[in-house]
Amino acid sequence: MGLFDNAVPGGNITKPLMIALGALLVGKMLSGRGEEAAAPQAPAPTPAGTDTSADGGLLGGLGGLLDKLKDAGHGNVADSWVGTGQNQSINPGDLGSALGPAVIREIAQRTGMNEQELLQQLSTALPGIVDKLTPNGQIPQNHQVASAFNS
């Protein structure tokens, strides 16, 4: 996967996990499961003010994800992923609460994973992925995140 080779402990990013990460961060990666992906996007799982068609994923891109974490009281954790120091972990329950049940349900459907397994894998992968996407402590534009997923 290039950029993300060392982002996840064990170095293994599975296809369902890449679909999940893409759904969070890159809108056009939402089409991960054949026929189901062709279903119209219901407004319910999309947080107000975001647009999945603008390459921002379900949360409006990386910045939207970080904002969700900060709003849920996990700003120090999110900041550690963006900054140059040690990445702090987040437990799956806290991540699920921050993202919200509608987003988790949507991603679980698209990946074919159950919600607990999805949250477990995302909580393990996100610190390293966000760290790799922000090497100089700057949050990239949505199109730059999309390029990273396509390379």
Side-chain angles (χ1 to χ4, degrees):
M1 184 80 226
L3 175 68
F4 302 126
D5 284 346
N6 300 319
V8 178
N12 185 16
I13 299 180
T14 63
K15 183 173 181 176
L17 181 57
M18 282 305 293
I19 292 168
L21 291 165
L24 280 175
L25 302 172
V26 184
K28 66 182 161 197
M29 288 190 69
L30 288 171
S31 57
R33 288 202 66 204
E35 273 49 89
E36 291 174 27
Q41 292 293 316
T46 307
T50 61
D51 179 5
T52 60
S53 66
D55 283 347
L58 292 174
L59 301 175
L62 180 56
L65 168 66
L66 297 172
D67 287 345
K68 278 283 203 188
L69 291 167
K70 290 175 184 178
D71 291 347
H74 303 291
N76 290 341
V77 172
D79 288 343
S80 78
W81 302 349
V82 174
T84 57
Q86 182 72 29
N87 292 332
Q88 294 180 28
S89 63
I90 188 165
N91 80 43
D94 289 342
L95 181 60
S97 295
L99 298 179
V103 169
I104 296 303
R105 194 173 320 114
E106 175 76 11
I107 297 170
Q109 276 185 318
R110 295 197 178 275
T111 62
M113 298 169 74
N114 74 51
E115 293 179 17
Q116 281 67 39
E117 179 65 19
L118 172 67
L119 285 170
Q120 181 64 49
Q121 288 195 29
L122 283 175
S123 67
T124 301
L126 276 173
I129 296 293
V130 172
D131 186 57
K132 292 285 187 183
L133 289 170
T134 58
N136 56 3
Q138 299 291 322
I139 298 172
Q141 298 294 318
N142 288 345
H143 72 277
Q144 293 169 308
V145 174
S147 293
F149 274 86
N150 291 328
S151 62

